[in-house]
């Protein structure tokens, strides 16, 4: 099992360019998440998908869109990249999304994005 | 909203015990997690504790939970150089089940 796979690993964009970060999991998990990690700010949730067909905003959704393409895949799109979106982006999945807490998250290895 | 706080750095000698502390604010937290992040990699779950437990032990790892003070700690016995990493505390609560992460504690183990 590969777990959670993210592509690309690295990306450099110019301000105003668009791109899509891809994420796929092979663990048959229901829930998927996109986080960004910035120095001194921990991980912040951008968007999540509790189950196939649903998506919801997290803590920092502005400037991003997501698509839950199927149960396996959850993509993150930057329509018009800004330098403030320079970060490391992590996709994660979990087995169950339920009231009372979610199961532990399984993370991909991240996409390191620089916007100049 | 929910908040999770950790000290940023900890340095120990190889063979000593490490204790990483975490405080959280959400009294409805139901699961509390410890994740480990090595350079260039994503986070990996180390261990977790349910909020109705006081302690959980897993080989060299001991998690202590003081629910009254909303304080969580991770003790690593016989710390090795391979334990050098960033350790994240996270909580998950009844509010839609999302996890909130602390900023991470960078553990440095000196030989």
């Amino acid at each position: 099992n590969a777990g959670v796979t993210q592509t690309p690993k690295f990306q450099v964009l110019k301000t105003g360019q668009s791109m899509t970060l891809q994420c796929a999991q092979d663990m048959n998990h229901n829930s998927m998440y996109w986080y960004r990690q910035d120095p001194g700010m921990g991980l912040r949730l951008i968007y999540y998908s509790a189950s196939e067909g649903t998506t919801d905003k997290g803590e920092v959704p502005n400037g991003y869109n997501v698509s839950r393409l199927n149960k396996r895949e959850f993509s993150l799109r930057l329509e018009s990249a800004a330098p403030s979106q320079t970060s490391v982006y992590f996709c994660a999945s979990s087995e169950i999304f339920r009231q009372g807490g979610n199961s532990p998250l399984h993370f991909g290895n991240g996409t390191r994005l620089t916007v100049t | 909203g929910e908040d999770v706080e950790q000290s940023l750095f900890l340095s120990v000698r190889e063979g000593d015990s490490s204790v990483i502390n975490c405080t959280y604010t959400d009294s409805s937290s139901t699961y509390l997690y410890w994740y480990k992040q090595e350079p260039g990699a994503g986070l990996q779950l180390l261990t977790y504790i349910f909020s109705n437990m006081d302690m959980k032990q897993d080989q060299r790892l001991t998690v202590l939970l003081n629910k009254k003070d909303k304080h969580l700690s991770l003790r690593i016995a016989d710390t090795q150089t391979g334990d050098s990493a960033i350790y994240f505390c996270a909580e998950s609560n009844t509010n839609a089940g999302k996890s909130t992460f602390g900023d991470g504690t960078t553990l440095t183990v000196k030989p």
Side-chain angles (χ1 to χ4, degrees):
Chain A
N1 282 353
V4 178
T5 303
Q6 292 183 236
T7 56
K9 289 187 169 57
F10 301 93
Q11 184 72 50
V12 178
L13 292 177
K14 293 187 188 306
T15 298
Q17 288 185 316
S18 62
M19 79 161 295
T20 300
L21 281 65
Q22 307 286 353
C23 175
Q25 52 92 7
D26 62 3
M27 295 172 283
N28 202 35
H29 285 172
N30 287 318
S31 304
M32 297 185 73
Y33 311 81
W34 276 104
Y35 285 88
R36 59 178 289 175
Q37 183 178 30
D38 301 291
M41 300 190 78
L43 276 83
R44 293 181 291 169
L45 182 64
I46 305 171
Y47 271 94
Y48 66 99
S49 170
S51 60
E52 187 179 353
T54 69
T55 60
D56 284 286
K57 295 178 181 178
E59 186 185 350
V60 289
N62 290 346
Y64 305 96
N65 283 301
V66 290
S67 294
R68 184 73 182 267
L69 303 169
N70 47 56
K71 191 171 185 180
R72 289 186 64 247
E73 298 173 287
F74 188 39
S75 62
L76 178 72
R77 182 158 178 84
L78 286 71
E79 289 291 350
S80 179
S84 61
Q85 293 179 304
T86 293
S87 188
V88 182
Y89 291 85
F90 287 101
C91 177
S93 67
S94 67
E95 185 172 351
I96 300 170
F97 185 90
R98 61 182 184 271
Q99 290 296 331
N102 62 321
S103 300
L105 301 181
H106 296 256
F107 284 84
N109 283 332
T111 295
R112 283 141 186 86
L113 175 68
T114 301
V115 183
T116 61
Chain B
E2 304 88 0
D3 194 20
V4 177
E5 293 195 354
Q6 307 174 234
S7 53
L8 292 182
F9 302 99
L10 177 66
S11 180
V12 301
R13 292 251 173 236
E14 192 174 17
D16 289 348
S17 291
S18 307
V19 180
I20 302 171
N21 294 301
C22 169
T23 58
Y24 59 98
T25 58
D26 190 346
S27 58
S28 65
S29 294
T30 51
Y31 291 94
L32 294 130
Y33 302 96
W34 284 104
Y35 290 85
K36 177 183 180 182
Q37 184 182 30
E38 297 183 354
L43 281 69
Q44 284 188 298
L45 179 71
L46 270 183
T47 186
Y48 67 96
I49 189 167
F50 189 54
S51 59
N52 68 353
M53 297 169 65
D54 297 325
M55 186 182 88
K56 181 178 180 181
Q57 188 147 4
D58 184 1
Q59 298 183 337
R60 292 191 296 123
L61 305 177
T62 303
V63 178
L64 295 177
L65 175 60
N66 182 328
K67 195 172 180 181
K68 175 175 167 289
D69 293 339
K70 300 190 186 70
H71 182 267
L72 182 74
S73 68
L74 173 70
R75 179 176 179 269
I76 306 172
D78 187 25
T79 313
Q80 303 297 306
T81 54
D83 294 323
S84 293
I86 304 176
Y87 291 81
F88 288 90
C89 171
E91 62 86 27
S92 177
N93 59 40
T94 55
N95 183 18
K98 299 188 294 294
S99 291
T100 301
F101 286 80
D103 288 349
T105 299
T106 299
L107 174 65
T108 302
V109 182
K110 298 180 180 176

